[in-house]
């Protein structure tokens, strides 16, 4: 009898550990991006809107607002994606007692992927524009083109990539101190590499990892942007998203840090 109970305990332990530990993390979530594209194929626009609002009063007085949007078009020959990402924050200055803006950023990007007839393969054109009040730049923009495909396809995981050359342009703001004969406008060549990893956590929950690298080929600044997120459905078309955003700039303006990060919890509405 003791041997039987010992064997039963070992068997149960083995079955527990043999199951993917992420499998039962949460019973809610969204469809995979691939399923979403199939459902909406041929529609003019579909996507999701992400928003978050935080107000703190008391020992810390601040107001933060975050808005993001992802719009798609999945047509016969083209799959297009449009993004907008904004962040606004005001903090109370304890010395003066005034509210001061501590973050004000808007980022817009558009990418068109032309389907070449081979599954998941495409040629892409990508462009973005960013205006960050506290970056030391009036704006910066990127234009790139190249080849994209699926690097890995598994039961629960898929990894896509884009790679290609491009152009980078930035304009320093009025407060930036320039060296003698230094031009406020900088233009150079770059190599852009982007990876998108999506993992099915459970039936309706997904984990996303997006990384983009823009390596300068002209001796200018190189940039890295990484977003790690977990998306889980709350009810209907509304989901909750936890995300960690990390951005790196090899040659920041003036006395700015080379990196900044952002941890957020936001609601996502899909349509």
């Amino acid at each position: 009898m003791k041997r039987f109970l010992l064997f039963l305990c070992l068997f149960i332990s083995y079955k527990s550990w043999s199951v993917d530990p992420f499998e039962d993390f949460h019973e809610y979530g969204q469809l995979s991006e691939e399923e979403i594209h199939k459902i909406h194929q041929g529609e003019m626009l579909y996507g999701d809107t992400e928003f978050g609002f935080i107000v703190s009063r008391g020992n810390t007085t601040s107001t933060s607002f975050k808005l993001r949007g992802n719009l798609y078009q999945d047509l016969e020959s083209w799959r297009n994606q449009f993004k907008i990402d904004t962040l606004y924050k005001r903090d109370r200055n304890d010395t003066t007692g005034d509210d001061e803006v501590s973050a004000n950023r808007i980022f817009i990007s558009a990418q068109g992927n032309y389907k070449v007839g081979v599954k998941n393969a495409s040629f892409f054109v990508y462009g973005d524009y960013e205006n960050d009040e506290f970056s030391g730049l009036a704006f910066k923009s990127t234009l790139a083109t190249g080849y994209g495909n699926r690097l890995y396809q598994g039961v629960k995981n898929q990894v896509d990539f884009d790679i290609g050359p491009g152009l980078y342009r930035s304009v320093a703001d009025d407060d930036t101190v320039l060296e003698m004969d230094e031009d406020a406008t900088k233009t150079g060549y770059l190599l852009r590499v982007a990876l998108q990893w999506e993992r099915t956590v459970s039936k309706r929950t997904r984990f996303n990892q997006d990384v983009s690298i823009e390596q300068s080929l002209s001796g200018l600044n190189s940039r890295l942007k990484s977003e790690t997120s977990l998306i889980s459905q709350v009810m209907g078309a509304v989901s909750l998203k936890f995300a960690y955003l990390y951005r790196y700039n090899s040659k920041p303006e003036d006395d700015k840090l080379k990196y900044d990060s952002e941890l957020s919890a936001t609601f996502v509405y899909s349509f």
Side-chain angles (χ1 to χ4, degrees):
M1 184 65 178
K2 291 182 179 179
R3 290 183 177 179
F4 174 77
L5 292 175
L6 178 61
F7 172 79
L8 182 60
C9 291
L10 291 172
F11 177 77
I12 294 175
S13 299
Y14 168 77
K15 293 297 287 182
S16 298
W17 284 105
S18 63
V19 174
D20 187 339
F22 287 106
E23 182 66 34
D24 298 319
F25 180 82
H26 206 291
E27 62 180 343
Y28 301 109
Q30 290 185 324
L31 298 172
S32 70
E33 289 191 7
E34 198 65 30
E35 291 173 315
I36 293 173
H37 291 318
K38 288 181 180 179
I39 292 174
H40 296 281
Q41 190 168 20
E43 296 183 11
M44 181 56 65
L45 284 175
Y46 62 94
D48 56 68
T49 302
E50 176 184 335
F51 55 92
F53 185 70
I54 301 174
V55 177
S56 301
R57 294 292 183 267
N59 293 325
T60 301
T61 302
S62 66
T63 302
S64 302
F65 178 74
K66 183 177 180 64
L67 174 66
R68 298 184 68 181
N70 286 294
L71 295 176
Y72 295 93
Q73 290 178 316
D74 197 348
L75 308 176
E76 183 177 354
S77 299
W78 287 89
R79 176 177 291 178
N80 305 317
Q81 182 179 17
F82 310 94
K83 289 184 177 182
I84 181 171
D85 184 357
T86 65
L87 175 66
Y88 180 82
K89 184 179 180 181
R90 294 180 66 93
D91 293 315
R92 176 67 57 83
N93 188 315
D94 294 333
T95 303
T96 63
D98 298 329
D99 288 340
E100 299 178 351
V101 178
S102 57
N104 188 11
R105 183 180 75 238
I106 179 169
F107 173 86
I108 301 172
S109 71
Q111 178 166 329
N113 287 70
Y114 179 75
K115 305 170 186 178
V116 297
V118 180
K119 185 178 181 180
N120 299 316
S122 64
F123 292 109
F124 75 88
V125 177
Y126 170 87
D128 67 36
Y129 170 89
E130 181 176 271
N131 186 332
D132 187 343
E133 184 177 336
F134 296 91
S135 67
L137 296 174
F139 74 88
K140 57 186 175 183
S141 60
T142 299
L143 180 64
T145 184
Y147 175 75
N149 206 333
R150 180 149 297 167
L151 188 65
Y152 174 78
Q153 176 71 63
V155 177
K156 297 184 179 182
N157 297 277
Q158 64 183 42
V159 181
D160 296 325
F161 76 92
D162 294 325
I163 184 170
L167 294 172
Y168 168 79
R169 184 171 185 263
S170 67
V171 177
D173 63 21
D174 296 334
D175 297 329
T176 300
V177 179
L178 301 175
E179 297 180 2
M180 188 176 296
D181 298 329
E182 183 181 4
D183 195 345
T185 300
K186 296 180 180 178
T187 305
Y189 299 100
L190 59 83
L191 177 66
R192 175 179 168 82
V193 180
L195 290 174
Q196 304 89 36
W197 169 32
E198 178 182 313
R199 173 179 172 81
T200 301
V201 175
S202 64
K203 185 178 180 181
R204 287 184 167 270
T205 303
R206 78 169 187 261
F207 167 85
N208 284 355
Q209 175 65 61
D210 295 331
V211 179
S212 64
I213 301 172
E214 294 179 358
Q215 177 64 48
S216 175
L217 304 177
S218 305
L220 301 178
N221 58 323
S222 298
R223 297 184 294 171
L224 179 147
K225 184 177 181 180
S226 170
E227 183 182 68
T228 306
S229 61
L230 185 68
I231 303 172
S232 184
Q233 184 181 11
V234 177
M235 63 176 68
V238 179
S239 301
L240 185 61
K241 176 181 178 181
F242 299 94
Y244 175 74
L245 177 65
Y246 177 85
R247 305 193 307 167
Y248 176 83
N249 185 348
S250 64
K251 295 181 180 180
E253 303 299 315
D254 295 338
D255 57 348
K256 308 298 181 183
L257 295 176
K258 289 187 176 182
Y259 69 92
D260 63 80
S261 62
E262 179 184 316
L263 187 63
S264 63
T266 54
F267 285 103
V268 179
Y269 175 74
S270 302
F271 57 91

